[in-house]
Structure formats: C-alpha cells, structure tokens
Amino acid sequence: MANIVVIGAQWGDEGKGKIVDLLTTEVGAIVRFQGGNNAGHTLVVNGQQTILHLIPSGILHQGKKCLIGNGVVLDPFVFCAEMDKLEMSGVDVSPARLVISNKAQLIMPYHRAIDGARENFKSGADKIGTTGRGIGPCYEDKAARIGIRAADLANEPLLRHKIEKALVEKNALLQGLYGQVPLSAAGIFDQLLPIARRLAPYLGDISTIIQDYASQGILFEGAQGTHLDIDHGTYPFVTSSNTVAGSAAIGAGCPPHMLERVVAIVKAYTTRVGAGPFPTELQDEVGSYLQTQGAEFGATTGRKRRCGWLDLVVLRESQRLNGPTEIALTKLDVLGGLDELKICVAYQYKGQEITYPPQEENGMAQVQPVYETLPGWQEDISGCRNYHALPQTTRDYIARIEEILGIPVGIVSVGPDRDQTIIRS
C-alpha cells in the first residue's frame, strides 16, 4: 500500500479536502502535517457539506485513524468546536481514532491578539492579508523556543508558567506598540483549563502511530498551497509554514523515503485569497464568471477569491519543488460555458521570456503573462463519470496541461460531491 502526499500546487483552495476524502479509502491513517486553522477543506458527501479547518479530511470515513502532526499549529478552542460539530453529525471523534502530536504547537489567545493588531497597524501595500488566526505569531514562538506545545496541556503548573512568561513580552508589544489592552495570564489559564483537561486524552506519539500503520498506507494532508510556502512562495505574501511535499516528513515525524506518491491538486483555473501578486488575475466579466460559477469564497474567511486563467509557469515551479507523480484536476466543470480558454505558458520579464517564476522579492508583480488560447465547451460536464464522456475540447484542455507539465492527470473532478469524480489511474 503506497503512502500518499496530497499538496496544493497553486495558492491554496485547490480542492484538497475532496481529494483527501477520496483517497482515504486507500490508506489506514491520515496525518495533517502543517498549517493551522487558516485553511478550510470543504467536503461534500451525498449533498451534505462539511468544512474542516484542523481535523484531517479523512475523518468522515469510519475506522480511519486521523492524526494532527507536530508541524501543525493547533488552536485548541477551534479544535474542540470542530469536534463538537462533527459529533453532532454522528461522526466518531473519540481519542481511539483522533490523535494530536505531543509536539504540536498551540495557538494561544495572545497569538490571535498580536496577529490582528499587527495587521491593523500596517497600511496599504504593507498588508499581507493574514486571516488573523494567530498562525504567524505561533510559529514565531516555536522558532524562538518559547512556544506552548500540546503535551503541556497535561502539565497544568508548566502550562500556567509558560503563559505567564509569554505575556511579559506579548503585553509589552500589545500595549507599547499597538496600544491594546494587556492580557491576563490568570484569565487565559482559567479559559484554557477545561479545554486542556478535555484534550489530554487525545495526546500521543504520532511517529509511533505512523510506524504502526505504515503497512496499511499513510495519507499526508497539507494545507494552503505551494506558492504560499514560507520559503518557496511569493514572499512576503505567504503563510508561515512549509507547504511543499518534502515538509510532510518533518511535519509528521517520519523518514523521507515514506513519501512515495505525491498528488498535486490543481484547480482548472487559478484563484488567490488576500494580497500578493497574481499574474493571470482577471478583473473583468470572465473573472466574475469564474468567481460566481465556482462559488469562490474562502472557507475560513468568507472573502471572495481573486480568479484568473490557469498559470502553468506557477505549476512548473510546483512540479520541481514537489516532484508530483500525478495531478488531480479540480473544478473543471466551472469552465463550462466559456467560448475560449487561456492558459499562461510563459512570462515576459525584464525584456525576456521566462518559463519559471522570477526569484526576486515581488518579481511576480512585474511579469506579463504569455497566453495560449484553446477552445472552450458549452456542455455541462458535472454528470460525466467516464473520461471519454467528456467533450473533446475538455479532453484537449487536459491533454495540453499534461503535455506542457509532463505529468499525468490521474483524477478529474467535475463537481463538489465525492461521486463527481473521474479516476483515470
């Protein structure tokens, strides 16, 4: 049984949740390896929608082990609310099948306070478009070695000490620079205590569980997309963690040789939430059409997503960073009704044509897309369940993506529901 890494190949929102849900049938355990509740994975099963922010998308499959890796920053309040919602829907979220790594870092109320205050303090082009969930400040504390880890929930004296110690610095920043009201260590501890006692049974050694389930197959679930990676994305308009496939081993706690099959999730067009360069963005009726037809609203923030043509320059970079073995092409049905489609095959940059993104900071804001035009299709393909049932122009669009990137499209999604999927390999 092959182990599978599922990553987003663009700027997130590619439809990873659906593909993870689909591939969960092939494995015994699913582990989320990075990010926090700044990403939402939307699942539709038999017409019923479920949005998850922290709990792995495989949770809807009975009997599958779901793990939160050490690379995740976990908001314990959000996690408990998510468990409550799933329990109300009849989903088993007991400690027997849902485990949090002892090493995962916790997002605290002061992280959220600093995140919001910092973004509000900025103006104009300096704004990053953060979700304000405390993700960045939590990763900062992890790197500074002052973070609170999930294991600390089971050690109440240590937990209180760490909160008190952290607030010396955090309150100085909140009060002195941002003009905010200082936070109370006792208040935060009292608020967290019942949550800590509830989550203590969920703590575990994820590396051992991965080792135990290796023969059944492991699915490594990423959040966000490749071009939001803290190192390899469109810096500084990025997230605060490494989103590329190689980080699955670090964020889950396993050797790299376990990462056998890498599935790159590619939306059939391109979207982006928040600030940052977006070479193929469409601010016209076609962009509005994609936004409306694709229901392009952030699952976490509710913000409208910016929409544009498929960018193969961005995907070439994703290819060399992640080494995908196949592509899962999502939201192909959204393109139906357009007379012609464009794909970006290169950029014009400083008088030259380039086929990979420029590496300089904000270089992507200075490029002009070079397009290739393909015929569109008018048919509704959402009911297609066989590849050859797709219109020829649709298959030509897929074939051109495969030809340029040199990667097979193994999965084609033609709608949000689990069964609106064509499996080619």
Side-chain angles (χ1 to χ4, degrees):
M1 186 69 67
N3 299 315
I4 309 168
V5 184
V6 174
I7 55 95
Q10 294 150 303
W11 280 288
D13 309 307
E14 300 95 349
K16 293 182 289 299
K18 173 181 175 175
I19 304 303
V20 169
D21 173 67
L22 190 73
L23 294 175
T24 292
T25 58
E26 302 182 24
V27 300
I30 307 93
V31 55
R32 170 80 178 272
F33 65 85
Q34 54 79 215
N37 59 304
N38 54 338
H41 289 176
T42 302
L43 315 175
V44 181
V45 181
N46 298 324
Q48 182 176 345
Q49 185 184 81
T50 301
I51 298 177
L52 301 171
H53 297 91
L54 285 169
I55 295 174
S57 302
I59 195 71
L60 298 186
H61 290 261
Q62 189 174 0
K64 302 294 181 177
K65 199 83 168 182
C66 292
L67 314 172
I68 304 293
N70 57 273
V72 173
V73 287
L74 183 85
D75 187 318
F77 300 96
V78 172
F79 187 78
C80 287
E82 201 160 285
M83 285 200 302
D84 290 341
K85 194 169 183 180
L86 287 168
E87 274 188 320
M88 288 176 63
S89 300
V91 178
D92 177 13
V93 289
S94 66
R97 65 177 306 228
L98 183 58
V99 184
I100 303 168
S101 170
N102 283 309
K103 301 173 184 176
Q105 298 279 324
L106 297 184
I107 297 174
M108 303 297 289
Y110 48 78
H111 292 134
R112 295 194 301 270
I114 287 175
D115 202 1
R118 181 183 289 161
E119 187 73 357
N120 290 333
F121 192 71
K122 297 172 183 175
S123 61
D126 290 333
K127 286 184 177 290
I128 300 297
T130 173
T131 60
R133 302 302 199 268
I135 311 298
C138 186
Y139 276 116
E140 289 172 24
D141 279 6
K142 176 180 180 178
R145 298 175 296 279
I146 58 171
I148 294 176
R149 304 209 293 182
D152 300 336
L153 293 173
N155 187 335
E156 293 175 13
L158 177 63
L159 180 63
R160 180 158 195 156
H161 172 72
K162 281 193 167 185
I163 294 171
E164 291 171 348
K165 187 176 178 181
L167 280 182
V168 173
E169 178 187 66
K170 307 308 178 190
N171 278 336
L173 186 59
L174 284 168
Q175 198 171 8
L177 180 60
Y178 299 127
Q180 302 292 311
V181 176
L183 300 176
S184 161
I188 291 175
F189 178 76
D190 290 344
Q191 186 183 10
L192 187 59
L193 193 56
I195 298 288
R197 291 172 178 170
R198 179 181 180 185
L199 292 184
Y202 287 87
L203 305 178
D205 182 349
I206 297 300
S207 294
T208 296
I209 297 172
I210 290 174
Q211 187 177 29
D212 292 343
Y213 275 80
S215 62
Q216 299 181 41
I218 309 293
L219 194 152
F220 300 87
E221 177 183 12
Q224 289 90 33
T226 294
H227 295 275
L228 291 177
D229 186 280
I230 185 67
D231 289 308
H232 302 291
T234 47
Y235 191 88
F237 302 99
V238 292
T239 194
S240 301
S241 60
N242 290 110
T243 62
V244 295
S247 63
I250 300 169
C254 70
H257 69 74
M258 286 191 69
L259 313 180
E260 298 168 313
R261 177 183 171 193
V262 179
V263 180
I265 316 302
V266 174
K267 190 179 285 186
Y269 48 101
T270 310
T271 61
R272 180 163 197 171
V273 171
F278 185 176
T280 65
E281 183 173 9
L282 296 169
Q283 296 177 319
D284 58 10
E285 66 277 4
V286 176
S288 297
Y289 180 86
L290 294 174
Q291 200 279 324
T292 302
Q293 293 296 111
E296 294 294 353
F297 296 91
T300 298
T301 63
R303 291 180 293 184
K304 278 188 178 183
R305 296 180 185 133
R306 302 152 64 191
C307 298
W309 295 120
L310 185 65
D311 190 336
L312 294 182
V313 181
V314 158
L315 293 177
R316 279 195 199 96
E317 180 78 346
S318 297
Q319 177 186 5
R320 69 180 182 182
L321 291 172
N322 296 297
T325 53
E326 67 187 274
I327 288 171
L329 189 65
T330 62
K331 288 203 162 185
L332 189 61
D333 55 300
V334 174
L335 296 178
L338 295 172
D339 293 329
E340 65 177 28
L341 306 172
K342 293 183 179 181
I343 54 175
C344 175
V345 295
Y347 294 152
Q348 284 290 337
Y349 179 65
K350 295 184 178 179
Q352 293 184 317
E353 187 169 291
I354 60 174
T355 54
Y356 288 91
Q359 299 298 308
E360 298 85 357
E361 182 168 326
N362 217 28
M364 288 276 278
Q366 303 172 45
V367 305
Q368 293 297 322
V370 177
Y371 286 117
E372 185 176 296
T373 302
L374 298 171
W377 60 88
Q378 298 300 316
E379 297 92 332
D380 177 6
I381 64 171
S382 63
C384 294
R385 298 295 179 270
N386 180 284
Y387 186 70
H388 293 288
L390 295 171
Q392 183 62 51
T393 48
T394 311
R395 285 180 278 149
D396 290 344
Y397 186 76
I398 296 170
R400 187 59 179 143
I401 295 171
E402 292 179 315
E403 181 182 7
I404 292 175
L405 295 179
I407 313 169
V409 174
I411 300 172
V412 180
S413 174
V414 293
D417 210 299
R418 182 188 286 169
D419 69 350
Q420 291 180 295
T421 311
I422 298 169
I423 306 296
R424 297 181 69 198
S425 63

